[in-house]
Amino acid sequence: RWVRDDADRARALAFFVTRCDRVRVMPFLDGVPCSIHGLVLPDGTAAFRPVEISILRDVGTRTFTYGGLSTFWDPPEADREDMRGAVQRVGEHLRAVYGYRGAFGIDGVLTADGFRPTELNARGSAGFSQVVQVDRKLFSLLQDALVLGEDPGVRVADVEALLPLIDAERSGRPVALAKAAVVGDVTEALTWDGATFGIAPPGQECDNVLVMADTPSGLFAKVQPCAALGPGVRLATVNLALYDLLEREFGVDLGDLSAAPDLR
């Protein structure tokens, strides 16, 4: 919940008091939601590249909407190295104090003042899976060996030597979730003009495909493959185009959403 005034506070309290014993309260951080991941190995901590977390916001209702993960986004090089440095310091602390081995991630926001962490996930998180798409089987085996206490024979230099390949093998997809919507099973080829998705005419082949279905948790939609994404492109902006399409073509209203601003 996003609390900006006393009325927001009252609504948030009413929501949480019937559901939670404790809540975490912290300052709101404006900027690009993102994460950075590491792998604690026998000789140190390998640091990966940043991952964008698409969190859209509705200022009017003070709510947030999740839209997926992406490695297409590129923060400034200095910020990237600051984030990687944070991973290396945290990884070495986990290794020295707790004997930790394996993957972990730091969620945060790239604010006007740089990267500010909000959460430490001491596990192989969804963002870690996103960043190692270059060879998921390799990293899955490596993670299993480290968690089991085995020496995999892999060192920090070996893992970080793969960073150019990881940067070359970008991954991500826009997704949409809606609890109340019912649309059935849908597969549609989509056109893309650089800002807007459209339903392609019958027979036209496209590099963007909408797949949508109703699930026990509500509507789930994704664009996969998604040629609208490319190096340097924010997933959040493509997410907005997906939500616009769902409203125009299928009547799915998810509110007045906007992307978090890039302040760097």
Side-chain angles (χ1 to χ4, degrees):
R1 288 296 185 271
W2 187 4
V3 176
R4 301 181 71 179
D5 54 34
D6 288 342
D8 293 341
R9 180 180 179 276
R11 283 191 293 268
L13 181 61
F15 175 84
F16 285 118
V17 74
T18 61
R19 294 171 169 85
C20 306
D21 297 317
R22 295 186 300 172
V23 296
R24 180 174 64 177
V25 181
M26 62 181 295
F28 177 78
L29 298 175
D30 208 8
V32 179
C34 54
S35 60
I36 188 76
H37 302 83
L39 195 65
V40 182
L41 295 152
D43 69 326
T45 300
F48 292 89
R49 58 155 292 119
V51 176
E52 179 189 0
I53 307 172
S54 179
I55 304 292
L56 305 177
R57 61 189 52 184
D58 187 325
V59 176
T61 61
R62 307 288 202 264
T63 55
F64 300 101
T65 299
Y66 174 73
L69 303 167
S70 168
T71 58
F72 286 99
W73 169 67
D74 286 315
E77 187 63 27
D79 291 320
R80 169 180 166 135
E81 292 310 308
D82 283 345
M83 294 171 71
R84 296 184 70 246
V87 158
Q88 288 160 346
R89 292 190 299 275
V90 169
E92 288 308 283
H93 175 78
L94 292 174
R95 188 163 72 98
V97 176
Y98 299 103
Y100 190 90
R101 294 291 187 272
F104 71 96
I106 305 173
D107 291 348
V109 179
L110 186 57
T111 72
D113 299 316
F115 179 65
R116 295 294 181 268
T118 58
E119 186 170 280
L120 170 65
N121 293 305
R123 54 184 168 82
S125 62
F128 177 74
S129 298
Q130 194 73 46
V131 83
V132 298
Q133 291 287 326
V134 65
D135 195 330
R136 294 187 66 178
K137 289 183 178 180
L138 167 65
F139 282 100
S140 178
L141 289 170
L142 183 54
Q143 170 73 352
D144 288 347
L146 290 167
V147 170
L148 289 170
E150 302 290 340
D151 185 344
V154 175
R155 298 296 182 257
V156 171
D158 301 320
V159 172
E160 294 193 345
L162 297 175
L163 284 175
L165 293 177
I166 290 172
D167 280 341
E169 189 73 19
R170 307 294 182 102
S171 62
R173 64 183 185 184
V175 302
L177 309 168
K179 291 184 178 180
V182 176
V183 297
D185 293 343
V186 174
T187 302
E188 293 280 3
L190 302 179
T191 60
W192 174 252
D193 64 5
T196 305
F197 285 121
I199 303 295
Q204 180 176 331
E205 293 188 4
C206 297
D207 295 327
N208 300 283
V209 177
L210 171 68
V211 180
M212 190 160 52
D214 301 319
T215 77
S217 300
L219 164 71
F220 176 77
K222 64 180 180 179
V223 180
Q224 189 176 18
C226 184
L229 286 169
V233 174
R234 288 274 308 278
L235 174 62
T237 60
V238 181
N239 257 137
L240 289 176
L242 170 60
Y243 284 125
D244 176 65
L245 173 81
L246 294 179
E247 183 173 6
R248 280 187 287 109
E249 300 292 343
F250 301 97
V252 179
D253 184 6
L254 293 167
D256 185 16
L257 298 176
S258 61
D262 191 338
L263 302 176
R264 300 289 281 182

